[in-house]
Amino acid sequence: MSKSKEALDFVHLMDELLSARQIVLFGAGELAMFSMLRLAYLGVKSRVVAISDNSASKIGTSIEGIPVITVSELAGNYLDAKVIITIGNDSHQREVQTQLEELGFSNFISSKVLLEPYQFTGAREPFLVQHPGEPSILKSVVMSITTKCNLRCKHCCYLMTHVEKPQNADRNQIIASAKKLSSIVGSINTFAIVGGEPFLHPDLNEICEEIGKIDNIKFKNIITNGRIVPSVELLDTLKRNGIAIFFSDYGDMSTKKQAIEKLCKEHGVLFRQTFNTFENAPTQWFTTEFPKKHGRSSGENIEKFAHCAPCNAIVNGKFYICVYEAFGTLLNAIPADPSDCVDLLDANLSPNDLRMNLETLLLKRDILTSCDYCQTETKLVPIAEQR
């Protein structure tokens, strides 16, 4: 299927979803939680009337305030609802759809369409939304707590290999930045602690304790390369605060991954393997070049910005909407532009001024300084090639 055909199908399916009077989810696990957050972002969470699951242990629980009911209750009350099957396994999804079709359901939409819009449209979505009568929602942010790493990946997307004197960020600055950001938005759907390699930070346990207390962050995780086994103390902190461990795609370089997974199971810590969602993952990465000025036209940079896969990042207390610019600026490879970031710890700004500055940045629709430094094209390369 061509990209344009995929995009047209996506728009059609999203129109159907946004016009649905009632929405139900089938599958009461992690994917359902992410789907609820996405539906809130789209402004249609109020139309979700029920969640169901084949597992008896999940009946009577709730996700984001929506009750999990039996399949018979679902069929008895919501046959005309739009159904999103929130189960990750493709074959299991097909089995469930067959099960529901036999019960009389006929309106389905893929959770992939719901959760991975960029893969269909290639277009940037607003990272901050606020629907009438609802608090604002920040889609996601990563916070770098260290530039130290135990690998030297040639194509590190955070440019860590180029940092001459890696160091850990100050614990108090990290915690204050996270709390300040959470205080000026209604909620944050996903908050990821990253590095370098975050397990190298000596104060990670204390950082997780404090970030875990921030109630309006919906999902918290640490992204690791799977080469350091966390302490039992840290695992207990992660469990208590609902912070997951995500393994990034480093292939055979993740030498301690199995040992970490075993400990996570023993201590009740959620863990997941994160993959690049493009084709050929997880066997390949995309190239990442050191920033250099290209001299592209304004129109070319505007086009590049419009179709960029964005990533909000907090680095040294500053909030960026481009992680490449965040670390490129840190390396003095991209000129620092105060209009391209928000200093979360600026004591001269009132909470309202800070909120307005953040909204202005997140809703920016032209270009960033970094756009002309961003690489022109990417190529596929083996995972985690070392320098």
Side-chain angles (χ1 to χ4, degrees), residues 159-175:
L159 303 169
M160 290 296 103
T161 309
H162 301 282
V163 178
E164 292 184 0
K165 296 181 179 180
Q167 56 187 309
N168 299 311
D170 177 73
R171 175 181 66 181
N172 294 328
Q173 181 194 71
I174 293 167
I175 295 167

Side-chain angles (χ1 to χ4, degrees), residues 230-246:
S231 67
V232 170
E233 179 187 20
L234 177 58
L235 289 166
D236 289 343
T237 297
L238 299 181
K239 165 64 175 175
R240 187 169 58 255
N241 289 285
I243 301 175
I245 291 178
F246 275 22

Side-chain angles (χ1 to χ4, degrees), residues 225-357:
N225 61 24
R227 292 175 64 85
I228 298 176
V229 177
S231 67
V232 170
E233 179 187 20
L234 177 58
L235 289 166
D236 289 343
T237 297
L238 299 181
K239 165 64 175 175
R240 187 169 58 255
N241 289 285
I243 301 175
I245 291 178
F246 275 22
F247 298 99
S248 196
D249 47 344
Y250 286 82
D252 293 339
M253 301 298 291
S254 299
T255 53
K256 302 295 176 62
K257 181 173 177 286
Q258 290 184 345
I260 299 170
E261 289 178 345
K262 182 175 182 293
L263 283 170
C264 285
K265 291 176 182 177
E266 292 173 356
H267 290 267
V269 176
L270 176 67
F271 64 92
R272 290 288 181 268
Q273 174 75 53
T274 65
F275 292 135
N276 184 332
T277 53
F278 294 88
E279 293 180 1
N280 299 303
T283 60
Q284 292 177 297
W285 279 3
F286 286 101
T287 52
T288 299
E289 297 176 356
F290 190 77
K292 64 179 181 181
K293 189 169 179 62
H294 292 278
R296 289 186 285 258
S297 70
S298 175
E300 289 173 325
N301 284 324
I302 289 172
E303 181 70 11
K304 192 165 188 65
F305 179 85
H307 294 91
C308 177
C311 180
N312 298 325
I314 301 173
V315 177
N316 290 341
K318 294 181 179 179
F319 183 100
Y320 296 82
I321 61 172
C322 172
V323 70
Y324 189 72
E325 177 163 3
F327 289 112
T329 301
L330 182 71
L331 292 166
N332 295 317
I334 298 175
D337 185 339
S339 69
D340 282 357
C341 66
V342 173
D343 188 346
L344 295 170
L345 303 181
D346 188 339
N348 296 316
L349 292 177
S350 69
N352 189 56
D353 288 340
L354 197 60
R355 183 180 299 107
M356 291 178 62
N357 288 353

Side-chain angles (χ1 to χ4, degrees), residues 104-177:
F105 289 94
S106 60
N107 299 313
F108 298 90
I109 187 167
S110 165
S111 59
K112 184 175 181 180
V113 168
L114 177 68
L115 295 172
E116 299 182 14
Y118 185 81
Q119 302 306 310
F120 295 90
T121 66
R124 174 186 291 268
E125 283 190 320
F127 250 82
L128 185 75
V129 296
Q130 183 161 17
H131 300 289
E134 298 289 336
S136 61
I137 299 172
L138 178 65
K139 284 180 67 177
S140 66
V141 64
V142 301
M143 170 177 274
S144 174
I145 65 170
T146 182
T147 52
K148 293 184 177 182
C149 192
N150 49 9
L151 290 175
R152 289 184 56 78
C153 297
K154 187 184 299 184
H155 297 287
C156 174
C157 61
Y158 291 173
L159 303 169
M160 290 296 103
T161 309
H162 301 282
V163 178
E164 292 184 0
K165 296 181 179 180
Q167 56 187 309
N168 299 311
D170 177 73
R171 175 181 66 181
N172 294 328
Q173 181 194 71
I174 293 167
I175 295 167
S177 300

